Amino acid sequence: MKILVTGGAGFIGGNYVHLMVKEHPEDTIVVLDSLTYAGNLETLEPVMDAPNFRFVKGDIRDRDFVSALFEKEHFDIVINFAAESHVDRSIENPQIFLETNIIGVSVLMDACRKYGIKRYHQVSTDEVYGELPSDRPDLLFHEDTPIHTSSPYSTSKASADLLVLAYHRTYGLPVTISRCSNNYGPYQFPEKLIPLVISRALADESIPVYGEGKNVRDWLHVYDHCHAIDLIVRNGKDGEVYNIGGHNERNNLEVVKTILKALGRSEDLIHYVKDRPGHDLRYAMDPEKIETELGWKPEYHFESGIKDTIDWYLNHKEWWQHIVNGEYQSYYERMYKDRK
């Protein structure tokens, strides 16, 4: 199969590409990424020379470009990781989130309709469900939990999900959607909680924690997430939504303290800051559907997963230091200046 992976130079998309190139050498993987601030081509360096991999720079909002790419490549599968994803940024500037996360999705699906794609998969988020009460650990998000968004980011993702399902019902487009809990692991952009804490702790810099740090998230290792997506794309039912969760609920303060302890740093580095507007209390996914129907199970417990993640950042300082100092943004020019 020829698979288009949009947003493949990002955190989750990049890890998915690594997995596919390694485990499915019979498939051709084409990455489309516009390399905005969170798109880092250095993430794809380990697969750059693989015979079944190619990179294309472009924007999913560009209808003419996307259509021409589809006409040329004849993709079988499209997996859309491309998204603006940072809640804080969506609060500051909602416009780009609406353009990429909604308009970009419509452009991709129109191309899928026109060129007869066998499966369009939309990578979504648990944030479309809103929040759960922190004092009810028995309550979990199910696939039929009503959508109830809290931020411009989650609203843009929920809108995309509804649009995807509408294209399935109206046009018969073969689609699937996955909604995941908070991911962690290698190659995550340093503005996110876990790599932010690691990088700042190593520099003995203060670590900002919203409110009292009591907001709870279900943590999912990115490798487990990528395996789940692969199962859905290959074996999932058209028109279905699948929740992907890690069974690893932790509040933000617990996560920060776990990292500080592992790095031998003092908790005095923690600096409590004003909570962000509309900050959801708790997310928790019930992945029973994907476990029952597709046989997926997460391999990582948080204790082992966070240790492996910390070790990865310790052993790949150059990768995240390039982001911190901005050098990663010139990697595309260095890689492609002599290529035709």
Side-chain angles (χ1 to χ4, degrees):
M1 294 191 299
K2 182 176 282 189
I3 302 173
L4 176 65
V5 178
T6 65
F11 164 45
I12 304 175
N15 277 285
Y16 182 80
V17 170
H18 293 172
L19 177 69
M20 292 301 99
V21 168
K22 178 182 178 181
E23 296 196 357
H24 295 283
E26 73 281 6
D27 294 335
T28 298
I29 309 299
V30 179
V31 165
L32 173 63
D33 200 296
S34 60
L35 299 180
T36 55
Y37 79 96
N40 183 0
L41 203 59
E42 289 184 346
T43 296
L44 296 174
E45 188 171 14
V47 299
M48 256 324 158
D49 294 324
N52 62 331
F53 171 82
R54 284 196 300 108
F55 176 82
V56 177
K57 185 178 181 181
D59 195 323
I60 63 170
R61 298 172 297 173
D62 187 335
R63 190 171 294 273
D64 291 339
F65 177 86
V66 169
S67 181
L69 181 65
F70 274 63
E71 184 170 5
K72 175 185 177 183
E73 296 288 351
H74 305 286
F75 298 114
D76 298 296
I77 304 291
V78 175
I79 306 171
N80 182 36
F81 292 91
E84 295 287 341
S85 64
H86 196 265
V87 175
D88 290 354
R89 288 178 182 264
S90 80
I91 293 171
E92 293 177 1
N93 181 19
Q95 180 78 20
I96 186 63
F97 285 75
L98 306 182
E99 292 173 356
T100 299
N101 297 358
I102 303 174
I103 300 303
V105 168
S106 72
V107 169
L108 288 172
M109 288 192 298
D110 284 339
C112 288
R113 287 180 57 214
K114 182 176 180 180
Y115 294 101
I117 300 302
K118 297 175 183 176
R119 168 66 57 84
Y120 172 88
H121 182 75
Q122 175 71 10
V123 179
S124 188
T125 171
D126 56 3
E127 296 191 41
V128 302
Y129 295 123
E131 67 178 358
L132 292 167
S134 56
D135 59 351
R136 288 290 306 276
D138 57 309
L139 295 181
L140 303 171
F141 292 137
H142 302 270
E143 286 82 359
D144 58 358
T145 297
I147 286 174
H148 189 71
T149 60
S150 303
S151 69
Y153 162 63
S154 59
T155 300
S156 68
K157 294 295 287 185
S159 299
D161 288 2
L162 294 175
L163 193 61
V164 169
L165 294 174
Y167 268 62
H168 173 68
R169 177 162 181 169
T170 303
Y171 304 113
L173 187 68
V175 306
T176 45
I177 297 172
S178 58
R179 294 171 178 156
C180 67
S181 47
N182 275 38
N183 278 218
Y184 68 102
Y187 297 106
Q188 190 170 26
F189 200 76
E191 70 182 359
K192 300 290 187 172
L193 177 65
I194 287 174
L196 177 72
V197 174
I198 294 171
S199 61
R200 293 187 69 85
L202 289 173
D204 290 314
E205 296 176 341
S206 66
I207 295 165
V209 174
Y210 281 128
E212 297 178 350
K214 294 183 178 180
N215 302 77
V216 175
R217 301 294 181 259
D218 172 28
W219 292 94
L220 173 69
H221 196 285
V222 67
Y223 291 165
D224 285 329
H225 184 196
C226 291
H227 278 287
I229 291 173
D230 189 40
L231 277 174
I232 295 168
V233 168
R234 296 173 191 273
N235 302 314
K237 297 178 182 178
D238 284 349
E240 293 293 315
V241 176
Y242 296 89
N243 283 352
I244 309 171
H247 299 295
N248 287 300
E249 288 188 54
R250 300 287 189 283
N251 69 41
N252 291 343
L253 188 57
E254 287 179 282
V255 172
V256 172
K257 289 183 176 181
T258 297
I259 296 171
L260 289 174
K261 182 177 180 180
L263 294 175
R265 296 305 198 269
S266 170
E267 293 181 6
D268 291 340
L269 290 176
I270 296 172
H271 174 59
Y272 295 96
V273 298
K274 182 180 178 181
D275 209 352
R276 73 178 177 217
H279 198 177
D280 290 329
L281 288 174
R282 172 176 170 254
Y283 305 141
M285 297 289 253
D286 183 352
E288 181 180 2
K289 180 177 178 178
I290 189 173
E291 292 176 350
T292 302
E293 293 187 8
L294 302 181
W296 175 83
K297 290 280 187 181
E299 295 181 11
Y300 280 88
H301 296 289
F302 186 76
E303 288 75 13
S304 60
I306 193 65
K307 180 182 182 301
D308 287 353
T309 299
I310 292 170
D311 288 343
W312 188 90
Y313 282 93
L314 288 173
N315 292 323
H316 295 81
K317 289 182 180 179
E318 185 178 72
W319 179 86
W320 56 265
Q321 287 173 345
H322 280 182
I323 295 175
V324 172
N325 63 31
E327 288 182 17
Y328 77 105
Q329 293 179 329
S330 65
Y331 183 79
Y332 177 82
E333 285 73 21
R334 297 200 307 273
M335 279 295 296
Y336 284 91
K337 66 180 179 179
D338 296 324
R339 296 192 183 192
K340 302 295 183 184

